[in-house]
Amino acid sequence: MVAIVSTCAYLGLEARSVEVQVQLAPGLPAFNVVGLADKAVAESRERVRAAIAAMGLALPPKRITVNLSPADLPKEGSHYDLPIALALLAAMGIIDSETLAGYVAVGELSLDARIASSPGVLLAALHAVAEDRGLICPATQGSEAAWAGALEIVAAADLLALLNHLKGLQLIAAPLPGEAETPGTGPDLRQVKGQETAKRALEIAAAGGHNLLMVGPPGAGKSLMASCLPGILPPLTPAEALEVSMVASVAGVMQGGRLTRTRPYRAPHHSASMAALVGGGLRVKPGEVSLSHLGVLFLDELPEFQRAVLDSLRQPLETGTVSVARANAHVTFPARVQLVAAMNPCRCGHLGDAALACSRAPRCAADYQAKVSGPLLDRIDLHIDVQAVSAADLILPSPAEGSAEVAARVAAARAVQSHRYSAAGIRTNAEAEGPVLDAAATPDEAGRKLLAQAAEAMRLSARGYTRVLRVARTIADLATADQVGRIHVAEALSYRRQPPRS
């Protein structure tokens, strides 16, 4: 007899159907798992054996073969424990196979038969909806699975309670969706004194979803302004919140089944590896650029990152996705991220200050800034020089305008963009390109002349030219202007600079 239970394998944010087939055959007692399983899946036989023993049952003295079909699809993770155990119990005649046919099962088993959490339950729930099946999952993740919509969810705390429910001896209540997290209160722009140009650039970046680079001496407030950015961004829409939560689910960082409406903000240390930043590893997982999808990725001390690591961001910043290629898998994660970077002008950080600058200036500045490649700088829309804050600025009272006032203007500009690009499926000006951008951002006659002259004088690349148009369109949106004018193009050009040459 062969018992079959459905589960799924995760490839990026895609869940693929997997059949767990268990056969009990005469022969010497053995327990084998086949079907291109990794170490965690191969070890499931010991967890399953112990969990069944904890319920007072013993495995039959037969040859047990577990096949994970399709056999050419890599199987990774501990979420195969529960479907293997259920298929084995069905093969032993303890539970009816027909009862299990309508479910997709995922979950890790503890040695005492408890069902433990495993990454990717939200993806499994969406897969179960698409397959028109129910979902069997850990009790701690039932509220996470409930966000997938209308499906039957059996969220059991342990294997015995699950068996009793499936046999009709005990009823497990259907879980409710986890509460959405309330937006946190981060730093406010009122804490930033002076730096009016930088705050204006921050508002433009937030309104259009543009990448931003701040260059200035240490202690000028670059990190503080970057941490203020989530506070002026509009909250995630329900569809965006589900996208972000799917990434968090497959990464195993979703807590309590709670969806968040706050945009992600990630600030990895400059010692981060390429796999940590863009994703990968032995078991391919999303990196920081995907965990900050639809949010902010802040890279402080930009030149201190390894150059190869920084250059790995070039493709995600352009396409909004990151593809991790391995010999046994090709995985794609979303990475529509807003990059905010900060750096000192040179190693000592005090270029331009004769009293503090080192003796190697300005040569040290050229060497230091050359650590960041030109193609990466070309993908950053806004470049601003942040000046040191004087004592006269620090003793002034806090600014009258804070994050709430700026956030209102950003939300209004984002609403205009959402309406403008609704037919194209584009969220912000930073994503517009081709005919869509031409229709939205073509300047008036004076603006076209200025842009043509500047493109020649500044030697703008085709990408740089396009990004100036996008920024100009955002500036016009903030000014509630229907057409991009010369003044909008002029301000957009003021935030553009040629990348330093090695």
Side-chain angles (χ1 to χ4, degrees), residues 4-151:
I4 298 175
V5 172
S6 294
T7 184
C8 57
Y10 307 126
L11 288 181
L13 295 191
E14 178 188 3
R16 295 193 184 178
S17 297
V18 172
E19 275 191 358
V20 178
Q21 306 165 354
V22 174
Q23 181 187 56
L24 303 181
L28 292 175
F31 194 154
N32 298 314
V33 179
V34 298
L36 206 56
D38 75 343
K39 183 70 172 174
V41 182
E43 290 174 347
S44 67
R45 58 190 177 192
E46 302 303 329
R47 292 189 292 271
V48 169
R49 190 196 306 272
I52 291 178
M55 295 192 300
L57 301 174
L59 296 182
K62 294 184 177 182
R63 186 174 185 83
I64 302 171
T65 303
V66 178
N67 179 43
L68 305 177
S69 175
D72 60 345
L73 179 68
K75 319 298 189 308
E76 299 177 342
S78 59
H79 64 280
Y80 294 98
D81 291 4
L82 183 58
I84 290 174
L86 290 175
L88 181 54
L89 291 170
M92 293 165 59
I94 295 175
I95 189 171
D96 185 14
S97 296
E98 294 294 329
T99 304
L100 296 172
Y103 294 96
V104 172
V106 291
E108 178 183 330
L109 286 178
S110 299
L111 300 183
D112 57 358
R114 286 179 295 112
I115 303 176
S117 302
S118 62
V121 166
L122 180 57
L123 269 69
L126 293 169
H127 173 73
V129 171
E131 294 283 317
D132 196 23
R133 298 171 184 257
L135 178 73
I136 299 174
C137 68
T140 54
Q141 294 178 295
S143 56
E144 175 182 339
W147 284 107
L151 80 161

Side-chain angles (χ1 to χ4, degrees), residues 452-468:
Q453 294 169 359
E456 182 68 25
M458 299 173 68
R459 293 184 173 275
L460 293 177
S461 65
R463 180 187 293 113
Y465 182 93
T466 299
R467 289 181 179 269
V468 168

